[in-house]
Amino acid sequence: MNTDRCIVLQNRDNTVTVTPVGARCMQWTHHPSGAQIFHCDSEPILSGIPLLFPVNRIDGGRFVCCGTEYRLPVNDPATGCSLHGTIHSDVFSVTERAAF
């Protein structure tokens, strides 16, 4: 895995490596336990764990959060839902770095 182009997210307990192309988690380490939760050396487009946002199945492609209504395309006609994972084909760039 070419980590030169990945984004590394870290907090006190975890380090996560994410690809900016394909929005996939390629590595996750839990520091207190020393456990490597996940690690993938393959090509990011074909492997890794995709960041699935929005999550789950959204009935009718509509949901409300903090008073704002969001509408997503219904991409599973059999259930009338919008399936998760709409950002997996987007390309991301780091525009700001901030601590939370």
Coordinates of all heavy atoms in Angstrom, one line a residue:
M1 N 0.8 -1.2 0.0 CA 0.0 0.0 0.0 C 0.9 1.2 0.0 O 1.8 1.4 0.8 CB -0.9 0.0 1.2 CG -1.7 1.2 1.4 SD -2.8 1.3 2.8 CE -1.6 1.2 4.2
N2 N 0.6 2.2 -0.9 CA 1.3 3.4 -0.9 C 0.7 4.4 0.0 O -0.4 5.0 -0.2 CB 1.3 4.0 -2.4 CG 2.0 5.3 -2.5 OD1 2.6 5.8 -1.5 ND2 2.0 5.8 -3.7
T3 N 1.3 4.6 1.2 CA 0.8 5.4 2.2 C 1.1 6.9 2.0 O 0.6 7.7 2.7 CB 1.3 5.0 3.6 OG1 2.7 5.1 3.6 CG2 0.8 3.6 4.0
D4 N 1.9 7.2 1.0 CA 2.2 8.6 0.7 C 1.0 9.4 0.4 O 1.0 10.6 0.7 CB 3.2 8.7 -0.5 CG 4.5 8.1 -0.3 OD1 4.8 7.7 0.9 OD2 5.3 7.9 -1.2
R5 N 0.0 8.8 -0.2 CA -1.2 9.6 -0.6 C -2.4 9.3 0.3 O -3.5 9.8 0.1 CB -1.5 9.2 -2.0 CG -0.4 9.7 -2.9 CD -0.5 9.3 -4.4 NE -1.8 9.0 -4.9 CZ -2.0 8.3 -6.0 NH1 -1.0 7.8 -6.7 NH2 -3.2 8.0 -6.4
C6 N -2.2 8.6 1.4 CA -3.2 8.4 2.4 C -3.3 9.5 3.4 O -2.4 10.3 3.6 CB -3.0 7.0 3.1 SG -3.2 5.6 2.0
I7 N -4.5 9.5 4.1 CA -4.7 10.4 5.2 C -4.6 9.6 6.5 O -5.3 8.6 6.6 CB -6.1 11.1 5.0 CG1 -6.1 11.9 3.7 CG2 -6.4 12.0 6.2 CD1 -7.5 12.3 3.3
V8 N -3.9 10.1 7.4 CA -3.7 9.4 8.7 C -4.5 10.2 9.7 O -4.2 11.4 9.9 CB -2.2 9.2 9.1 CG1 -2.1 8.5 10.4 CG2 -1.5 8.4 8.0
L9 N -5.4 9.5 10.4 CA -6.2 10.1 11.5 C -5.8 9.5 12.8 O -5.7 8.3 12.8 CB -7.7 9.9 11.2 CG -8.2 10.2 9.8 CD1 -9.7 9.7 9.7 CD2 -8.2 11.7 9.6
Q10 N -5.5 10.3 13.8 CA -5.1 9.8 15.0 C -5.7 10.5 16.2 O -5.8 11.7 16.2 CB -3.5 9.9 15.1 CG -2.9 9.2 16.2 CD -1.4 9.1 16.1 OE1 -0.8 9.6 15.2 NE2 -0.8 8.4 17.1
N11 N -6.0 9.7 17.2 CA -6.4 10.3 18.5 C -5.6 9.6 19.6 O -4.7 8.8 19.3 CB -8.0 10.3 18.7 CG -8.5 8.9 18.8 OD1 -7.8 7.9 19.0 ND2 -9.8 8.8 18.7
R12 N -6.0 9.8 20.8 CA -5.3 9.2 21.9 C -5.2 7.6 21.8 O -4.2 7.0 22.1 CB -5.9 9.6 23.2 CG -5.3 9.1 24.5 CD -6.0 9.5 25.7 NE -7.4 9.1 25.5 CZ -8.2 8.5 26.4 NH1 -7.7 8.4 27.6 NH2 -9.4 8.1 26.2
D13 N -6.3 7.0 21.3 CA -6.4 5.5 21.3 C -6.2 4.9 20.0 O -5.9 3.7 19.9 CB -7.7 5.1 21.9 CG -7.9 5.5 23.4 OD1 -6.8 5.6 24.1 OD2 -9.0 5.5 23.9
N14 N -6.4 5.6 18.9 CA -6.4 4.9 17.6 C -5.7 5.7 16.5 O -5.6 6.9 16.6 CB -7.9 4.8 17.1 CG -8.7 4.0 18.1 OD1 -8.7 2.8 18.0 ND2 -9.5 4.6 18.9
T15 N -5.2 4.9 15.6 CA -4.6 5.5 14.3 C -5.3 4.8 13.2 O -5.4 3.6 13.1 CB -3.1 5.3 14.2 OG1 -2.5 6.0 15.3 CG2 -2.6 5.9 12.9
V16 N -5.9 5.6 12.3 CA -6.6 5.1 11.1 C -6.0 5.7 9.9 O -5.8 6.9 9.8 CB -8.1 5.4 11.2 CG1 -8.9 4.9 10.0 CG2 -8.7 4.8 12.5
T17 N -5.7 4.8 8.9 CA -5.2 5.3 7.6 C -6.3 5.1 6.6 O -6.9 4.1 6.4 CB -4.0 4.5 7.1 OG1 -3.0 4.6 8.2 CG2 -3.4 5.0 5.9
V18 N -6.7 6.3 5.9 CA -7.8 6.3 4.9 C -7.3 6.8 3.6 O -6.4 7.7 3.5 CB -8.9 7.3 5.4 CG1 -10.0 7.3 4.5 CG2 -9.4 6.8 6.8
T19 N -7.8 6.2 2.5 CA -7.4 6.6 1.2 C -8.2 7.8 0.8 O -9.4 7.8 1.0 CB -7.6 5.5 0.1 OG1 -9.0 5.2 0.1 CG2 -6.8 4.3 0.4
P20 N -7.6 8.8 0.1 CA -8.4 9.9 -0.4 C -9.2 9.6 -1.7 O -10.1 10.2 -2.0 CB -7.4 11.0 -0.7 CG -6.1 10.3 -0.9 CD -6.2 9.0 -0.1
V21 N -8.8 8.5 -2.3 CA -9.5 8.0 -3.5 C -10.2 6.7 -3.1 O -9.6 5.8 -2.6 CB -8.6 7.7 -4.7 CG1 -9.3 7.1 -5.8 CG2 -7.9 9.0 -5.1
G22 N -11.5 6.7 -3.2 CA -12.3 5.5 -2.8 C -12.8 5.5 -1.4 O -13.5 4.6 -1.0
A23 N -12.3 6.4 -0.6 CA -12.8 6.5 0.8 C -12.8 5.2 1.5 O -13.8 4.7 2.0 CB -14.2 7.2 0.9
R24 N -11.6 4.6 1.6 CA -11.5 3.3 2.2 C -10.5 3.3 3.4 O -9.4 3.9 3.3 CB -11.0 2.2 1.2 CG -12.1 2.0 0.2 CD -11.6 1.0 -0.9 NE -12.7 0.8 -1.8 CZ -13.6 -0.2 -1.7 NH1 -13.6 -0.9 -0.6 NH2 -14.6 -0.3 -2.6
C25 N -10.8 2.6 4.5 CA -9.9 2.5 5.6 C -9.0 1.3 5.2 O -9.4 0.2 5.0 CB -10.7 2.1 6.9 SG -9.7 1.8 8.3
M26 N -7.7 1.6 5.3 CA -6.7 0.6 4.9 C -6.0 0.1 6.1 O -5.3 -1.0 6.1 CB -5.7 1.2 3.9 CG -6.3 1.7 2.6 SD -7.2 0.4 1.7 CE -5.9 -0.6 1.1
Q27 N -6.0 0.8 7.2 CA -5.3 0.4 8.4 C -6.0 1.0 9.7 O -6.3 2.2 9.6 CB -3.9 0.8 8.4 CG -3.0 0.3 9.5 CD -1.5 0.5 9.2 OE1 -1.1 0.4 8.1 NE2 -0.8 0.9 10.3
W28 N -6.1 0.2 10.7 CA -6.6 0.7 12.0 C -5.9 0.1 13.1 O -5.8 -1.2 13.2 CB -8.1 0.5 12.1 CG -8.8 0.8 13.4 CD1 -8.3 1.6 14.4 CD2 -10.1 0.4 13.8 NE1 -9.2 1.7 15.4 CE2 -10.3 1.0 15.0 CE3 -11.1 -0.4 13.2 CZ2 -11.5 0.8 15.7 CZ3 -12.2 -0.5 13.9 CH2 -12.5 0.0 15.1
T29 N -5.2 0.9 14.0 CA -4.5 0.4 15.1 C -5.1 0.9 16.4 O -5.3 2.1 16.5 CB -3.0 0.7 15.0 OG1 -2.5 0.3 13.7 CG2 -2.2 0.2 16.1
H30 N -5.3 0.0 17.3 CA -5.8 0.4 18.7 C -4.6 0.4 19.6 O -4.1 -0.6 19.9 CB -6.9 -0.5 19.1 CG -7.5 -0.1 20.4 ND1 -7.2 -0.8 21.6 CD2 -8.3 0.9 20.8 CE1 -7.9 -0.3 22.6 NE2 -8.5 0.8 22.1
H31 N -4.2 1.6 20.0 CA -2.9 1.7 20.8 C -2.9 1.1 22.2 O -2.0 0.5 22.6 CB -2.4 3.2 20.8 CG -2.2 3.7 19.4 ND1 -1.2 3.2 18.6 CD2 -2.8 4.7 18.7 CE1 -1.2 3.9 17.5 NE2 -2.2 4.8 17.5
P32 N -4.0 1.4 23.0 CA -4.0 0.8 24.4 C -3.8 -0.7 24.4 O -3.1 -1.2 25.3 CB -5.3 1.2 24.9 CG -5.7 2.5 24.2 CD -5.2 2.2 22.8
S33 N -4.4 -1.4 23.4 CA -4.3 -2.9 23.4 C -3.1 -3.3 22.6 O -2.7 -4.5 22.6 CB -5.6 -3.5 22.9 OG -5.7 -3.2 21.5
G34 N -2.6 -2.4 21.7 CA -1.5 -2.8 20.8 C -2.1 -3.6 19.6 O -1.3 -4.2 18.9
A35 N -3.4 -3.7 19.5 CA -4.0 -4.5 18.5 C -4.0 -3.8 17.1 O -4.4 -2.6 17.0 CB -5.4 -4.9 18.9
Q36 N -3.7 -4.5 16.1 CA -3.9 -4.1 14.7 C -5.3 -4.6 14.3 O -5.4 -5.7 14.0 CB -2.8 -4.7 13.8 CG -2.9 -4.2 12.4 CD -1.9 -3.2 12.0 OE1 -1.0 -2.9 12.8 NE2 -2.1 -2.6 10.9
I37 N -6.3 -3.7 14.4 CA -7.6 -4.1 14.2 C -7.8 -4.5 12.7 O -8.5 -5.5 12.4 CB -8.6 -2.9 14.5 CG1 -8.4 -2.5 15.9 CG2 -10.1 -3.3 14.2 CD1 -8.7 -3.5 17.0
F38 N -7.2 -3.7 11.8 CA -7.3 -4.0 10.4 C -6.1 -3.5 9.7 O -5.5 -2.4 10.0 CB -8.6 -3.3 9.8 CG -8.8 -3.5 8.4 CD1 -9.3 -4.8 7.9 CD2 -8.4 -2.6 7.4 CE1 -9.5 -5.0 6.6 CE2 -8.6 -2.8 6.1 CZ -9.1 -4.0 5.7
H39 N -5.6 -4.3 8.7 CA -4.5 -3.8 7.9 C -4.6 -4.5 6.5 O -4.9 -5.7 6.4 CB -3.2 -4.3 8.5 CG -2.0 -3.8 7.7 ND1 -1.5 -2.5 7.7 CD2 -1.2 -4.5 6.8 CE1 -0.5 -2.5 6.9 NE2 -0.3 -3.6 6.3
C40 N -4.4 -3.7 5.5 CA -4.6 -4.2 4.1 C -3.4 -3.6 3.3 O -3.2 -2.4 3.3 CB -5.9 -3.7 3.6 SG -6.2 -4.4 1.9
D41 N -2.7 -4.5 2.6 CA -1.6 -4.1 1.8 C -1.9 -3.9 0.3 O -1.1 -3.6 -0.5 CB -0.4 -5.0 1.9 CG 0.3 -4.9 3.2 OD1 0.5 -3.7 3.7 OD2 0.8 -5.9 3.8
S42 N -3.2 -4.2 0.0 CA -3.6 -4.2 -1.5 C -3.9 -2.9 -2.0 O -3.8 -1.9 -1.3 CB -4.8 -5.2 -1.6 OG -4.5 -6.4 -1.1
E43 N -4.3 -2.9 -3.2 CA -4.7 -1.6 -3.9 C -6.0 -1.0 -3.2 O -7.0 -1.8 -3.0 CB -5.0 -1.9 -5.4 CG -3.8 -2.1 -6.2 CD -2.9 -0.9 -6.2 OE1 -3.4 0.2 -6.5 OE2 -1.7 -1.0 -6.0
P44 N -6.0 0.3 -2.9 CA -7.1 0.9 -2.2 C -8.4 0.8 -2.9 O -9.5 0.7 -2.3 CB -6.7 2.3 -2.0 CG -5.3 2.4 -2.4 CD -4.9 1.2 -3.1
I45 N -8.4 0.8 -4.2 CA -9.7 0.8 -5.0 C -10.4 -0.5 -4.9 O -11.6 -0.6 -4.9 CB -9.4 1.2 -6.5 CG1 -9.0 2.7 -6.6 CG2 -10.7 1.0 -7.3 CD1 -10.0 3.7 -6.1
L46 N -9.6 -1.6 -4.7 CA -10.2 -2.9 -4.7 C -10.3 -3.5 -3.4 O -10.9 -4.6 -3.2 CB -9.3 -3.8 -5.6 CG -9.1 -3.4 -7.0 CD1 -8.1 -4.3 -7.8 CD2 -10.4 -3.4 -7.8
S47 N -9.7 -2.9 -2.3 CA -9.7 -3.5 -1.0 C -9.9 -2.5 0.1 O -10.3 -1.4 -0.2 CB -8.4 -4.3 -0.8 OG -7.3 -3.4 -1.0
G48 N -9.7 -2.9 1.3 CA -9.9 -2.0 2.4 C -11.4 -2.0 2.8 O -12.2 -2.8 2.2
I49 N -11.7 -1.2 3.8 CA -13.1 -1.2 4.3 C -13.6 0.2 3.9 O -13.2 1.2 4.3 CB -13.1 -1.3 5.8 CG1 -12.6 -2.6 6.3 CG2 -14.6 -1.1 6.3 CD1 -12.4 -2.8 7.8
P50 N -14.7 0.2 3.0 CA -15.2 1.5 2.6 C -15.9 2.2 3.7 O -16.5 1.6 4.6 CB -16.2 1.1 1.5 CG -16.5 -0.4 1.7 CD -15.3 -1.0 2.4
L51 N -15.7 3.5 3.7 CA -16.4 4.4 4.6 C -17.8 4.6 4.1 O -18.0 5.2 3.1 CB -15.7 5.7 4.8 CG -14.2 5.7 5.2 CD1 -13.7 7.1 5.2 CD2 -14.0 5.0 6.5
L52 N -18.7 4.0 4.8 CA -20.1 4.0 4.3 C -20.9 5.1 4.9 O -21.3 5.0 6.0 CB -20.7 2.6 4.6 CG -20.0 1.4 3.9 CD1 -20.7 0.1 4.4 CD2 -20.0 1.5 2.4
F53 N -21.1 6.1 4.1 CA -21.8 7.3 4.6 C -22.7 7.7 3.4 O -22.3 7.8 2.3 CB -21.0 8.4 5.0 CG -21.8 9.6 5.5 CD1 -22.2 9.6 6.8 CD2 -22.1 10.6 4.7 CE1 -23.0 10.6 7.3 CE2 -22.9 11.6 5.1 CZ -23.4 11.6 6.4
P54 N -24.0 8.0 3.7 CA -24.7 7.7 4.9 C -24.8 6.3 5.2 O -24.8 5.4 4.3 CB -26.0 8.4 4.7 CG -26.2 8.6 3.3 CD -24.8 8.6 2.7
V55 N -25.1 6.0 6.5 CA -25.1 4.6 6.9 C -26.4 3.9 6.6 O -27.4 4.6 6.5 CB -24.8 4.5 8.4 CG1 -23.4 5.0 8.7 CG2 -25.8 5.2 9.2
N56 N -26.4 2.6 6.6 CA -27.6 1.7 6.6 C -28.5 2.0 5.4 O -28.0 2.5 4.4 CB -28.4 1.9 7.9 CG -27.6 1.4 9.1 OD1 -26.9 0.5 9.0 ND2 -27.8 2.1 10.2
R57 N -29.7 1.7 5.5 CA -30.7 1.9 4.4 C -31.6 3.0 4.8 O -32.2 3.0 5.9 CB -31.5 0.6 4.2 CG -30.7 -0.5 3.7 CD -31.6 -1.8 3.6 NE -30.7 -2.9 3.2 CZ -30.6 -3.3 1.9 NH1 -31.2 -2.6 1.0 NH2 -29.8 -4.3 1.6
I58 N -31.7 4.0 3.9 CA -32.6 5.2 4.3 C -33.9 5.1 3.5 O -33.9 5.2 2.3 CB -31.8 6.4 4.0 CG1 -30.5 6.5 4.8 CG2 -32.7 7.7 4.2 CD1 -29.6 7.6 4.5
D59 N -35.0 4.8 4.3 CA -36.3 4.6 3.7 C -36.7 5.8 2.8 O -36.7 6.9 3.3 CB -37.3 4.3 4.8 CG -38.6 3.9 4.3 OD1 -38.7 3.3 3.2 OD2 -39.6 4.1 4.9
G60 N -37.0 5.5 1.6 CA -37.4 6.6 0.7 C -36.4 7.6 0.4 O -36.6 8.6 -0.3
G61 N -35.1 7.4 0.8 CA -34.0 8.3 0.6 C -34.1 9.6 1.3 O -33.4 10.6 1.0
R62 N -35.0 9.6 2.4 CA -35.2 10.9 3.1 C -35.0 10.7 4.6 O -35.4 9.7 5.2 CB -36.7 11.3 2.9 CG -37.1 12.5 3.7 CD -38.6 12.7 3.6 NE -39.1 13.7 4.5 CZ -39.3 13.6 5.8 NH1 -39.1 12.5 6.4 NH2 -39.6 14.6 6.5
F63 N -34.2 11.7 5.2 CA -34.0 11.7 6.6 C -33.9 13.1 7.1 O -33.6 14.0 6.3 CB -32.9 10.8 7.0 CG -31.5 11.3 6.7 CD1 -30.8 12.0 7.6 CD2 -31.0 11.1 5.4 CE1 -29.5 12.5 7.3 CE2 -29.7 11.5 5.1 CZ -29.0 12.3 6.0
V64 N -34.2 13.3 8.4 CA -34.1 14.6 9.0 C -33.0 14.6 10.1 O -33.0 13.7 10.9 CB -35.4 15.1 9.5 CG1 -35.3 16.4 10.2 CG2 -36.5 15.2 8.5
C65 N -32.1 15.5 10.1 CA -31.1 15.6 11.1 C -30.9 17.1 11.5 O -30.7 18.0 10.6 CB -29.7 15.1 10.6 SG -28.4 15.1 11.8
C66 N -31.0 17.3 12.8 CA -30.9 18.7 13.4 C -31.8 19.7 12.6 O -31.4 20.8 12.4 CB -29.5 19.2 13.3 SG -28.3 18.1 14.2
G67 N -33.0 19.2 12.3 CA -34.0 20.1 11.7 C -33.9 20.3 10.2 O -34.6 21.0 9.6
T68 N -32.9 19.7 9.6 CA -32.7 19.8 8.1 C -33.1 18.5 7.5 O -32.6 17.4 7.9 CB -31.2 20.2 7.8 OG1 -30.9 21.4 8.4 CG2 -31.0 20.3 6.3
E69 N -33.9 18.6 6.4 CA -34.3 17.4 5.7 C -33.2 17.1 4.6 O -32.9 18.1 3.8 CB -35.6 17.6 5.0 CG -36.1 16.4 4.3 CD -37.4 16.5 3.6 OE1 -37.6 17.3 2.7 OE2 -38.4 15.8 4.1
Y70 N -32.8 15.9 4.4 CA -31.9 15.5 3.4 C -32.6 14.5 2.5 O -33.3 13.6 3.0 CB -30.6 14.9 4.0 CG -29.9 15.8 4.8 CD1 -30.1 16.0 6.2 CD2 -28.9 16.6 4.3 CE1 -29.4 16.9 7.0 CE2 -28.2 17.6 5.0 CZ -28.5 17.7 6.4 OH -27.8 18.6 7.1
R71 N -32.4 14.6 1.2 CA -33.0 13.6 0.3 C -31.8 13.0 -0.6 O -31.0 13.8 -1.1 CB -34.0 14.3 -0.7 CG -35.2 14.8 0.1 CD -36.3 15.3 -0.9 NE -37.5 15.6 -0.2 CZ -38.5 14.8 0.1 NH1 -38.4 13.6 -0.4 NH2 -39.5 15.2 0.7
L72 N -31.8 11.7 -0.6 CA -30.8 11.0 -1.4 C -31.5 10.2 -2.5 O -32.7 9.8 -2.3 CB -30.0 10.1 -0.4 CG -29.3 10.7 0.7 CD1 -28.9 9.7 1.7 CD2 -28.2 11.6 0.2
P73 N -30.8 9.8 -3.5 CA -31.4 9.0 -4.6 C -31.8 7.6 -4.0 O -31.0 7.0 -3.3 CB -30.3 8.9 -5.6 CG -29.0 9.3 -5.0 CD -29.4 10.2 -3.8
V74 N -32.9 7.2 -4.4 CA -33.3 5.8 -4.1 C -32.6 4.9 -5.1 O -32.9 4.8 -6.3 CB -34.8 5.6 -4.2 CG1 -35.2 4.2 -4.0 CG2 -35.5 6.5 -3.1
N75 N -31.6 4.2 -4.6 CA -30.8 3.4 -5.5 C -31.0 1.9 -5.3 O -30.2 1.0 -5.8 CB -29.3 3.7 -5.4 CG -28.8 3.7 -4.0 OD1 -29.5 3.3 -3.0 ND2 -27.5 4.0 -3.8
D76 N -32.0 1.5 -4.5 CA -32.4 0.1 -4.4 C -34.0 0.1 -4.6 O -34.7 0.1 -3.6 CB -32.0 -0.4 -3.0 CG -32.3 -1.9 -2.8 OD1 -32.5 -2.6 -3.9 OD2 -32.3 -2.4 -1.7
P77 N -34.4 0.0 -5.8 CA -35.8 0.1 -6.1 C -36.6 -1.0 -5.4 O -37.8 -0.9 -5.1 CB -35.9 -0.1 -7.6 CG -34.5 0.3 -8.1 CD -33.6 0.0 -7.0
A78 N -36.0 -2.2 -5.2 CA -36.7 -3.3 -4.6 C -37.2 -3.0 -3.2 O -38.3 -3.5 -2.8 CB -35.8 -4.6 -4.6
T79 N -36.5 -2.2 -2.5 CA -36.9 -1.8 -1.1 C -37.3 -0.4 -1.0 O -37.8 0.0 0.1 CB -35.7 -2.1 -0.1 OG1 -34.6 -1.2 -0.5 CG2 -35.2 -3.5 -0.1
G80 N -37.1 0.4 -2.0 CA -37.4 1.8 -1.9 C -36.5 2.6 -1.0 O -36.9 3.6 -0.5
C81 N -35.3 2.1 -0.9 CA -34.3 2.8 0.0 C -33.1 3.3 -0.8 O -32.8 3.0 -1.9 CB -33.7 1.7 1.0 SG -34.9 1.1 2.2
S82 N -32.5 4.3 -0.1 CA -31.2 4.7 -0.5 C -30.2 3.9 0.3 O -30.2 3.9 1.5 CB -31.0 6.2 -0.2 OG -29.7 6.6 -0.6
L83 N -29.3 3.2 -0.4 CA -28.3 2.3 0.2 C -27.1 3.2 0.7 O -26.8 4.2 0.0 CB -27.8 1.2 -0.7 CG -28.9 0.2 -1.1 CD1 -28.3 -0.9 -2.0 CD2 -29.6 -0.4 0.1
H84 N -26.5 2.7 1.7 CA -25.3 3.4 2.2 C -24.1 3.3 1.2 O -24.2 2.5 0.3 CB -24.8 2.8 3.6 CG -24.5 1.4 3.5 ND1 -25.5 0.4 3.9 CD2 -23.5 0.7 3.1 CE1 -24.9 -0.8 3.7 NE2 -23.7 -0.6 3.2
G85 N -23.1 4.2 1.4 CA -21.9 4.1 0.6 C -21.9 5.0 -0.6 O -21.3 4.6 -1.6
T86 N -22.5 6.2 -0.5 CA -22.5 7.0 -1.7 C -21.2 7.8 -1.9 O -21.0 8.4 -2.9 CB -23.7 8.0 -1.6 OG1 -23.5 8.8 -0.4 CG2 -25.0 7.3 -1.5
I87 N -20.3 7.8 -0.9 CA -19.0 8.5 -1.1 C -17.9 7.7 -1.6 O -16.8 8.2 -1.8 CB -18.6 9.3 0.2 CG1 -18.3 8.3 1.3 CG2 -19.7 10.3 0.6 CD1 -17.7 9.0 2.5
H88 N -18.1 6.4 -1.8 CA -17.0 5.5 -2.1 C -16.3 5.8 -3.4 O -15.1 5.5 -3.6 CB -17.4 4.0 -2.1 CG -18.3 3.7 -3.3 ND1 -19.6 4.0 -3.3 CD2 -18.0 3.1 -4.4 CE1 -20.1 3.6 -4.4 NE2 -19.2 3.0 -5.2
S89 N -17.0 6.5 -4.3 CA -16.3 6.8 -5.6 C -15.8 8.2 -5.7 O -15.3 8.7 -6.8 CB -17.3 6.5 -6.8 OG -18.5 7.3 -6.6
D90 N -16.0 9.0 -4.6 CA -15.5 10.4 -4.6 C -14.0 10.5 -4.4 O -13.4 9.6 -3.7 CB -16.2 11.2 -3.6 CG -17.7 11.4 -3.9 OD1 -18.1 11.2 -5.0 OD2 -18.4 11.8 -3.0
V91 N -13.4 11.5 -4.9 CA -12.0 11.8 -4.6 C -11.9 12.9 -3.6 O -12.6 14.0 -3.7 CB -11.2 12.2 -5.9 CG1 -9.8 12.6 -5.6 CG2 -11.3 11.1 -6.9
F92 N -11.2 12.8 -2.5 CA -11.1 13.8 -1.4 C -9.7 14.4 -1.4 O -8.7 13.8 -1.8 CB -11.3 13.1 -0.1 CG -12.7 12.5 0.1 CD1 -13.0 11.3 -0.3 CD2 -13.7 13.3 0.6 CE1 -14.2 10.7 -0.2 CE2 -14.9 12.8 0.8 CZ -15.2 11.5 0.4
S93 N -9.7 15.6 -1.0 CA -8.4 16.3 -0.7 C -8.5 16.9 0.7 O -9.6 17.2 1.2 CB -8.1 17.4 -1.8 OG -9.1 18.3 -1.7
V94 N -7.3 17.0 1.3 CA -7.3 17.6 2.7 C -7.4 19.1 2.5 O -6.5 19.7 1.9 CB -6.0 17.2 3.4 CG1 -6.0 17.8 4.8 CG2 -6.0 15.7 3.6
T95 N -8.4 19.7 3.0 CA -8.5 21.2 2.9 C -8.3 21.9 4.2 O -8.0 23.1 4.2 CB -10.0 21.5 2.4 OG1 -10.9 21.0 3.4 CG2 -10.2 20.9 1.0
E96 N -8.3 21.1 5.3 CA -8.1 21.7 6.6 C -7.8 20.6 7.6 O -8.2 19.5 7.5 CB -9.4 22.4 7.1 CG -9.3 23.1 8.4 CD -10.6 23.8 8.8 OE1 -11.5 24.1 7.9 OE2 -10.8 24.0 10.0
R97 N -7.0 21.0 8.5 CA -6.6 20.0 9.6 C -7.0 20.7 10.9 O -6.7 21.8 11.2 CB -5.1 19.7 9.6 CG -4.7 19.0 8.4 CD -3.2 18.7 8.4 NE -2.7 18.3 7.1 CZ -2.7 17.0 6.7 NH1 -3.2 16.1 7.5 NH2 -2.2 16.7 5.5
A98 N -7.7 19.9 11.7 CA -8.2 20.5 13.0 C -8.3 19.4 14.0 O -8.5 18.2 13.7 CB -9.6 21.1 12.8
A99 N -8.1 19.8 15.3 CA -8.2 18.8 16.4 C -9.6 19.0 17.0 O -10.1 20.1 17.1 CB -7.2 19.1 17.5
F100 N -10.2 17.9 17.4 CA -11.6 18.0 18.0 C -11.5 17.5 19.4 O -10.7 16.7 19.8 CB -12.5 17.1 17.2 CG -12.8 17.6 15.8 CD1 -12.1 17.1 14.7 CD2 -13.8 18.5 15.6 CE1 -12.4 17.6 13.5 CE2 -14.1 19.0 14.3 CZ -13.4 18.5 13.3

